Amino acid sequence: MNPAENVELRCADAWRPVVEDKVGDWRLRAASGFTGRANSALAVGDPGMPFDQALARVCEFSHVHGIPPVVQTIVGSETEQALEAARWVPNTGHAAGHLVAVLLGPLGTGADGISFLPEPSPAWWELTAGTTAPSPAQRHVLTTGEVGYGVAEGTAGAVRTAIAGELLHVSRLAVRPEHRRRGLAKALMAASGSWAAERGATECVLQVAVDNAPALALYVALGFREHHRYRYWTPACEDRSS
């Protein structure tokens, strides 16, 4: 596999769905609709069967688990070209953005006022997931694996950290509006790097929608660079009314 595919697999390891199956190298994932990454087929590598049959398996798996058929694949890949030829289309209706930049950067070091909770608190859940009573799917996706629950100044800011091989996967970085422009996001990133280095990570990976300019500006300032992009695809004829 090429470097972009390897990074995608590590990111998938850090963001586990509730249900997962495989079609060759492809990963079929479902988590009751919580996030695109946990409810799509990660189409990297060889599906081990004709392409149209693999897409049919994606659709069958999705319908069984009550989610729309969606394929996540690397921009510019042969798989993406084959999806277009099969008359799938970019899933532009995806609320969080269907086109995503994957960034790699250095681990931060040190930060005062940041701590890591032994388990997520109600305030951590509220800031990172928008609820103090997470669903089983939310709890599974956000707590499975070697995961850290970072908080700043009580819970003025919060972040999810996860180890995937040599990579630190950072997600759900959030700062409350009344506490922004005080450097808390940078402090959370720095503390996340120290947390990950103690666990063997050597580099950090982030996934950011390409239209999220403030987040991209923050990460570029911290030394991150775009490694590749991925995009979500869906069947053009899919009935989304059910």
Side-chain angles (χ1 to χ4, degrees):
M1 289 189 176
N2 63 44
E5 291 176 333
N6 283 325
V7 170
E8 284 301 324
L9 291 175
R10 297 290 73 73
C11 289
D13 289 341
W15 196 262
R16 304 300 299 193
V18 175
V19 181
E20 184 170 335
D21 201 352
K22 297 194 76 174
V23 174
D25 295 328
W26 291 14
R27 299 188 185 189
L28 312 184
R29 305 169 294 183
S32 300
F34 178 63
T35 78
R37 281 173 284 167
N39 291 274
S40 58
L42 178 60
V44 298
D46 183 359
M49 63 181 65
F51 196 79
D52 59 343
Q53 293 181 26
L55 291 182
R57 289 282 301 277
V58 169
C59 291
E60 178 184 1
F61 175 88
S62 301
H63 291 147
V64 165
H65 294 287
I67 58 174
V70 175
V71 165
Q72 175 193 344
T73 198
I74 296 165
V75 170
S77 65
E78 292 183 2
T79 300
E80 188 171 65
Q81 296 169 19
L83 283 165
E84 188 171 15
R87 298 188 178 181
W88 284 49
V89 296
N91 188 20
T92 55
H94 183 58
H98 78 289
L99 182 60
V100 178
V102 179
L103 312 178
L104 292 181
L107 297 180
T109 56
D112 294 329
I114 308 298
S115 58
F116 282 83
L117 305 174
E119 59 184 37
S121 66
W124 186 92
W125 279 113
E126 186 271 327
L127 188 52
T128 62
T131 179
T132 58
S135 69
Q138 289 173 314
R139 187 173 293 278
H140 180 92
V141 172
L142 294 183
T143 66
T144 299
E146 190 172 358
V147 179
Y149 314 101
V151 292
E153 298 184 6
T155 319
V159 68
R160 179 189 187 266
T161 55
I163 300 298
E166 75 287 359
L167 291 178
L168 160 65
H169 182 270
V170 170
S171 62
R172 299 281 154 165
L173 177 65
V175 176
R176 298 187 189 279
E178 64 271 24
H179 294 284
R180 291 174 184 167
R181 302 186 183 280
R182 294 175 45 209
L184 292 185
K186 290 183 179 179
L188 284 162
M189 287 296 297
S192 296
S194 296
W195 176 90
E198 294 174 355
R199 291 159 177 79
T202 59
E203 197 169 20
C204 182
V205 62
L206 299 151
Q207 296 153 297
V208 185
V210 297
D211 59 0
N212 189 346
L216 290 171
L218 167 67
Y219 299 131
V220 168
L222 293 176
F224 284 78
R225 66 192 186 281
E226 184 175 306
H227 186 265
H228 65 277
R229 294 181 176 186
Y230 68 77
R231 181 164 24 215
Y232 293 114
W233 292 76
T234 192
C237 59
E238 180 67 18
D239 181 1
R240 304 184 190 186
S241 63
S242 60

